[in-house]
Amino acid sequence: MKIKEILDALEIFAPLPLQDGFDNAGLQVGLTDVEATGALLCLDVTEEVVEEAINQGLNLIIAHHPLMFRGYKSITGKDYTERCIMDAIKNEIAIYAMHTNLDNAPNGVNYKIAEKIGLKNVRVLEPKEYLQQSDCDKADQEEPKKPEWLTAGAGAIGELDEPMTETEFLKHVKKTFEAGCVKHTKLTGRLISKVAICGGAGAFLMDRATKVHADAFVTGEIKYHDYFYYENKILATEIGHYESEQYTKEIIQDLLNRKFPSLRTEMTRINTNPIKYL
């Protein structure tokens, strides 16, 4: 199949209009009207990841984080982003990003985090409706499908099978996400049953999590002063940006395996987390 067919399937699952205003999801580099030799799935695009795709003969890289967030007036190889762009173009590799559109999509990033934690009855934490336009505007259909309103949004919330103590919950999350450390607000003796989550920099949803009476909130990044403000309201749990989103690759691989069983998909073997722990 052509790369364009693969990207069309990705955008049906996580439509680009779902991305936040600051974002730059979608096609970053390359041509789509070419046959796909396979896809390399990653969280971040680095020079090592591009080299990995070259060595494995894969001409499509699908990342969670966009390689490019800003405009470029020149491409000279002065930083890793520009070198990745140059290497990808030289080796005819397309680079595509599924970022906040995949965060906000039904069954997207936060649903995968909920699955890993073991939450049940998972639903969107901060819902918003969007119009699913797929297939509804095709002129060759005798009876085009009507647009359908679907629920998407930021974060997710669900319940544990059985309540845990705060310490049990923190240890469970640390082990599940192989976190180098877990930062959290002070322990108050509460039992953890209802858990809100948001992958990446999700502290903007902490107020929403407290309003819906979550016992704990898990995310990748929390600001220092938020620990003061929320310390008696919720067990705020910070596990690291990379750690919180590392399983995003599984969502993409599962989707591609269902849609294109013959397509070769590989998960990167490179840990691109720029944060190290002593």
Side-chain angles (χ1 to χ4, degrees), residues 152-172:
I157 189 167
E159 289 80 35
L160 295 166
D161 275 335
E162 298 289 339
M164 294 182 178
T165 66
E166 292 167 312
T167 301
E168 287 172 338
F169 178 75
L170 292 169
K171 288 181 177 179
H172 170 61

PDB file of all heavy atoms in Angstrom, residues 152-172:
ATOM      1  N   ALA A 152     -14.736  13.152  22.377  1.00  0.00           N
ATOM      2  CA  ALA A 152     -13.288  13.091  22.546  1.00  0.00           C
ATOM      3  C   ALA A 152     -12.942  14.011  23.715  1.00  0.00           C
ATOM      4  O   ALA A 152     -13.828  14.429  24.460  1.00  0.00           O
ATOM      5  CB  ALA A 152     -12.587  13.528  21.262  1.00  0.00           C
ATOM      6  N   GLY A 153     -11.662  14.320  23.862  1.00  0.00           N
ATOM      7  CA  GLY A 153     -11.309  15.273  24.903  1.00  0.00           C
ATOM      8  C   GLY A 153     -10.022  14.923  25.614  1.00  0.00           C
ATOM      9  O   GLY A 153      -9.351  13.941  25.289  1.00  0.00           O
ATOM     10  N   ALA A 154      -9.700  15.739  26.614  1.00  0.00           N
ATOM     11  CA  ALA A 154      -8.418  15.638  27.307  1.00  0.00           C
ATOM     12  C   ALA A 154      -8.510  14.740  28.533  1.00  0.00           C
ATOM     13  O   ALA A 154      -9.481  14.784  29.283  1.00  0.00           O
ATOM     14  CB  ALA A 154      -7.941  17.028  27.726  1.00  0.00           C
ATOM     15  N   GLY A 155      -7.459  13.937  28.741  1.00  0.00           N
ATOM     16  CA  GLY A 155      -7.379  13.112  29.933  1.00  0.00           C
ATOM     17  C   GLY A 155      -8.368  11.972  29.943  1.00  0.00           C
ATOM     18  O   GLY A 155      -9.162  11.780  29.016  1.00  0.00           O
ATOM     19  N   ALA A 156      -8.304  11.182  30.999  1.00  0.00           N
ATOM     20  CA  ALA A 156      -9.243  10.076  31.189  1.00  0.00           C
ATOM     21  C   ALA A 156      -9.394   9.823  32.679  1.00  0.00           C
ATOM     22  O   ALA A 156      -8.569  10.262  33.488  1.00  0.00           O
ATOM     23  CB  ALA A 156      -8.750   8.815  30.478  1.00  0.00           C
ATOM     24  N   ILE A 157     -10.448   9.115  33.035  1.00  0.00           N
ATOM     25  CA  ILE A 157     -10.704   8.793  34.436  1.00  0.00           C
ATOM     26  C   ILE A 157     -11.375   7.429  34.504  1.00  0.00           C
ATOM     27  O   ILE A 157     -12.131   7.048  33.604  1.00  0.00           O
ATOM     28  CB  ILE A 157     -11.571   9.884  35.113  1.00  0.00           C
ATOM     29  CG1 ILE A 157     -11.655   9.649  36.620  1.00  0.00           C
ATOM     30  CG2 ILE A 157     -12.944   9.991  34.479  1.00  0.00           C
ATOM     31  CD1 ILE A 157     -12.231  10.837  37.384  1.00  0.00           C
ATOM     32  N   GLY A 158     -11.056   6.681  35.556  1.00  0.00           N
ATOM     33  CA  GLY A 158     -11.645   5.366  35.733  1.00  0.00           C
ATOM     34  C   GLY A 158     -11.428   4.882  37.149  1.00  0.00           C
ATOM     35  O   GLY A 158     -10.905   5.623  38.002  1.00  0.00           O
ATOM     36  N   GLU A 159     -11.814   3.651  37.400  1.00  0.00           N
ATOM     37  CA  GLU A 159     -11.717   3.103  38.753  1.00  0.00           C
ATOM     38  C   GLU A 159     -10.861   1.840  38.775  1.00  0.00           C
ATOM     39  O   GLU A 159     -10.855   1.065  37.807  1.00  0.00           O
ATOM     40  CB  GLU A 159     -13.114   2.753  39.295  1.00  0.00           C
ATOM     41  CG  GLU A 159     -13.969   3.950  39.633  1.00  0.00           C
ATOM     42  CD  GLU A 159     -14.638   4.584  38.429  1.00  0.00           C
ATOM     43  OE1 GLU A 159     -15.022   3.839  37.507  1.00  0.00           O
ATOM     44  OE2 GLU A 159     -14.755   5.828  38.402  1.00  0.00           O
ATOM     45  N   LEU A 160     -10.165   1.642  39.875  1.00  0.00           N
ATOM     46  CA  LEU A 160      -9.429   0.409  40.110  1.00  0.00           C
ATOM     47  C   LEU A 160     -10.405  -0.713  40.467  1.00  0.00           C
ATOM     48  O   LEU A 160     -11.490  -0.456  41.000  1.00  0.00           O
ATOM     49  CB  LEU A 160      -8.430   0.594  41.253  1.00  0.00           C
ATOM     50  CG  LEU A 160      -7.285   1.583  41.016  1.00  0.00           C
ATOM     51  CD1 LEU A 160      -6.600   1.914  42.341  1.00  0.00           C
ATOM     52  CD2 LEU A 160      -6.279   1.028  40.020  1.00  0.00           C
ATOM     53  N   ASP A 161     -10.004  -1.950  40.197  1.00  0.00           N
ATOM     54  CA  ASP A 161     -10.833  -3.095  40.584  1.00  0.00           C
ATOM     55  C   ASP A 161     -11.059  -3.115  42.090  1.00  0.00           C
ATOM     56  O   ASP A 161     -12.167  -3.356  42.568  1.00  0.00           O
ATOM     57  CB  ASP A 161     -10.166  -4.402  40.155  1.00  0.00           C
ATOM     58  CG  ASP A 161     -10.494  -4.761  38.724  1.00  0.00           C
ATOM     59  OD1 ASP A 161     -11.542  -4.318  38.226  1.00  0.00           O
ATOM     60  OD2 ASP A 161      -9.702  -5.476  38.095  1.00  0.00           O
ATOM     61  N   GLU A 162      -9.970  -2.881  42.825  1.00  0.00           N
ATOM     62  CA  GLU A 162     -10.024  -2.842  44.282  1.00  0.00           C
ATOM     63  C   GLU A 162      -9.246  -1.627  44.764  1.00  0.00           C
ATOM     64  O   GLU A 162      -8.204  -1.291  44.202  1.00  0.00           O
ATOM     65  CB  GLU A 162      -9.412  -4.112  44.892  1.00  0.00           C
ATOM     66  CG  GLU A 162     -10.135  -5.402  44.534  1.00  0.00           C
ATOM     67  CD  GLU A 162     -11.493  -5.514  45.205  1.00  0.00           C
ATOM     68  OE1 GLU A 162     -11.701  -4.818  46.227  1.00  0.00           O
ATOM     69  OE2 GLU A 162     -12.334  -6.295  44.717  1.00  0.00           O
ATOM     70  N   PRO A 163      -9.735  -0.940  45.801  1.00  0.00           N
ATOM     71  CA  PRO A 163      -9.001   0.221  46.320  1.00  0.00           C
ATOM     72  C   PRO A 163      -7.595  -0.173  46.778  1.00  0.00           C
ATOM     73  O   PRO A 163      -7.362  -1.298  47.217  1.00  0.00           O
ATOM     74  CB  PRO A 163      -9.858   0.684  47.503  1.00  0.00           C
ATOM     75  CG  PRO A 163     -11.222   0.150  47.219  1.00  0.00           C
ATOM     76  CD  PRO A 163     -11.012  -1.164  46.519  1.00  0.00           C
ATOM     77  N   MET A 164      -6.675   0.765  46.669  1.00  0.00           N
ATOM     78  CA  MET A 164      -5.299   0.582  47.128  1.00  0.00           C
ATOM     79  C   MET A 164      -4.960   1.668  48.134  1.00  0.00           C
ATOM     80  O   MET A 164      -5.529   2.762  48.084  1.00  0.00           O
ATOM     81  CB  MET A 164      -4.303   0.692  45.955  1.00  0.00           C
ATOM     82  CG  MET A 164      -4.388  -0.384  44.908  1.00  0.00           C
ATOM     83  SD  MET A 164      -3.094  -0.123  43.645  1.00  0.00           S
ATOM     84  CE  MET A 164      -3.365  -1.519  42.574  1.00  0.00           C
ATOM     85  N   THR A 165      -4.014   1.379  49.004  1.00  0.00           N
ATOM     86  CA  THR A 165      -3.472   2.445  49.831  1.00  0.00           C
ATOM     87  C   THR A 165      -2.650   3.358  48.923  1.00  0.00           C
ATOM     88  O   THR A 165      -2.281   2.978  47.801  1.00  0.00           O
ATOM     89  CB  THR A 165      -2.577   1.905  50.951  1.00  0.00           C
ATOM     90  OG1 THR A 165      -1.403   1.311  50.362  1.00  0.00           O
ATOM     91  CG2 THR A 165      -3.314   0.872  51.803  1.00  0.00           C
ATOM     92  N   GLU A 166      -2.350   4.537  49.400  1.00  0.00           N
ATOM     93  CA  GLU A 166      -1.555   5.464  48.591  1.00  0.00           C
ATOM     94  C   GLU A 166      -0.201   4.863  48.237  1.00  0.00           C
ATOM     95  O   GLU A 166       0.254   4.964  47.090  1.00  0.00           O
ATOM     96  CB  GLU A 166      -1.361   6.772  49.363  1.00  0.00           C
ATOM     97  CG  GLU A 166      -2.647   7.561  49.541  1.00  0.00           C
ATOM     98  CD  GLU A 166      -2.492   8.667  50.567  1.00  0.00           C
ATOM     99  OE1 GLU A 166      -1.959   8.388  51.665  1.00  0.00           O
ATOM    100  OE2 GLU A 166      -2.899   9.797  50.279  1.00  0.00           O
ATOM    101  N   THR A 167       0.445   4.242  49.202  1.00  0.00           N
ATOM    102  CA  THR A 167       1.758   3.653  48.947  1.00  0.00           C
ATOM    103  C   THR A 167       1.671   2.510  47.954  1.00  0.00           C
ATOM    104  O   THR A 167       2.511   2.394  47.046  1.00  0.00           O
ATOM    105  CB  THR A 167       2.392   3.168  50.259  1.00  0.00           C
ATOM    106  OG1 THR A 167       2.525   4.286  51.157  1.00  0.00           O
ATOM    107  CG2 THR A 167       3.770   2.576  50.012  1.00  0.00           C
ATOM    108  N   GLU A 168       0.663   1.663  48.089  1.00  0.00           N
ATOM    109  CA  GLU A 168       0.476   0.573  47.139  1.00  0.00           C
ATOM    110  C   GLU A 168       0.266   1.116  45.729  1.00  0.00           C
ATOM    111  O   GLU A 168       0.829   0.591  44.757  1.00  0.00           O
ATOM    112  CB  GLU A 168      -0.735  -0.276  47.546  1.00  0.00           C
ATOM    113  CG  GLU A 168      -0.514  -1.161  48.758  1.00  0.00           C
ATOM    114  CD  GLU A 168      -1.801  -1.824  49.226  1.00  0.00           C
ATOM    115  OE1 GLU A 168      -2.905  -1.317  48.907  1.00  0.00           O
ATOM    116  OE2 GLU A 168      -1.706  -2.853  49.923  1.00  0.00           O
ATOM    117  N   PHE A 169      -0.538   2.149  45.624  1.00  0.00           N
ATOM    118  CA  PHE A 169      -0.823   2.729  44.316  1.00  0.00           C
ATOM    119  C   PHE A 169       0.444   3.322  43.699  1.00  0.00           C
ATOM    120  O   PHE A 169       0.737   3.092  42.517  1.00  0.00           O
ATOM    121  CB  PHE A 169      -1.900   3.806  44.431  1.00  0.00           C
ATOM    122  CG  PHE A 169      -2.212   4.486  43.132  1.00  0.00           C
ATOM    123  CD1 PHE A 169      -2.959   3.841  42.150  1.00  0.00           C
ATOM    124  CD2 PHE A 169      -1.749   5.770  42.876  1.00  0.00           C
ATOM    125  CE1 PHE A 169      -3.238   4.460  40.943  1.00  0.00           C
ATOM    126  CE2 PHE A 169      -2.025   6.394  41.673  1.00  0.00           C
ATOM    127  CZ  PHE A 169      -2.773   5.746  40.704  1.00  0.00           C
ATOM    128  N   LEU A 170       1.203   4.074  44.468  1.00  0.00           N
ATOM    129  CA  LEU A 170       2.424   4.683  43.950  1.00  0.00           C
ATOM    130  C   LEU A 170       3.429   3.628  43.494  1.00  0.00           C
ATOM    131  O   LEU A 170       4.069   3.767  42.448  1.00  0.00           O
ATOM    132  CB  LEU A 170       3.048   5.584  45.015  1.00  0.00           C
ATOM    133  CG  LEU A 170       2.246   6.849  45.366  1.00  0.00           C
ATOM    134  CD1 LEU A 170       2.821   7.517  46.606  1.00  0.00           C
ATOM    135  CD2 LEU A 170       2.219   7.828  44.196  1.00  0.00           C
ATOM    136  N   LYS A 171       3.566   2.558  44.246  1.00  0.00           N
ATOM    137  CA  LYS A 171       4.478   1.472  43.855  1.00  0.00           C
ATOM    138  C   LYS A 171       3.991   0.779  42.586  1.00  0.00           C
ATOM    139  O   LYS A 171       4.790   0.405  41.720  1.00  0.00           O
ATOM    140  CB  LYS A 171       4.616   0.473  45.000  1.00  0.00           C
ATOM    141  CG  LYS A 171       5.425   0.983  46.186  1.00  0.00           C
ATOM    142  CD  LYS A 171       5.546  -0.079  47.274  1.00  0.00           C
ATOM    143  CE  LYS A 171       6.410   0.414  48.425  1.00  0.00           C
ATOM    144  NZ  LYS A 171       6.511  -0.613  49.513  1.00  0.00           N
ATOM    145  N   HIS A 172       2.685   0.610  42.486  1.00  0.00           N
ATOM    146  CA  HIS A 172       2.092  -0.009  41.296  1.00  0.00           C
ATOM    147  C   HIS A 172       2.375   0.831  40.052  1.00  0.00           C
ATOM    148  O   HIS A 172       2.792   0.304  39.003  1.00  0.00           O
ATOM    149  CB  HIS A 172       0.587  -0.165  41.510  1.00  0.00           C
ATOM    150  CG  HIS A 172      -0.171  -0.562  40.282  1.00  0.00           C
ATOM    151  ND1 HIS A 172       0.056  -1.746  39.605  1.00  0.00           N
ATOM    152  CD2 HIS A 172      -1.165   0.081  39.598  1.00  0.00           C
ATOM    153  CE1 HIS A 172      -0.760  -1.826  38.558  1.00  0.00           C
ATOM    154  NE2 HIS A 172      -1.508  -0.735  38.535  1.00  0.00           N
TER     155      HIS A 172
END
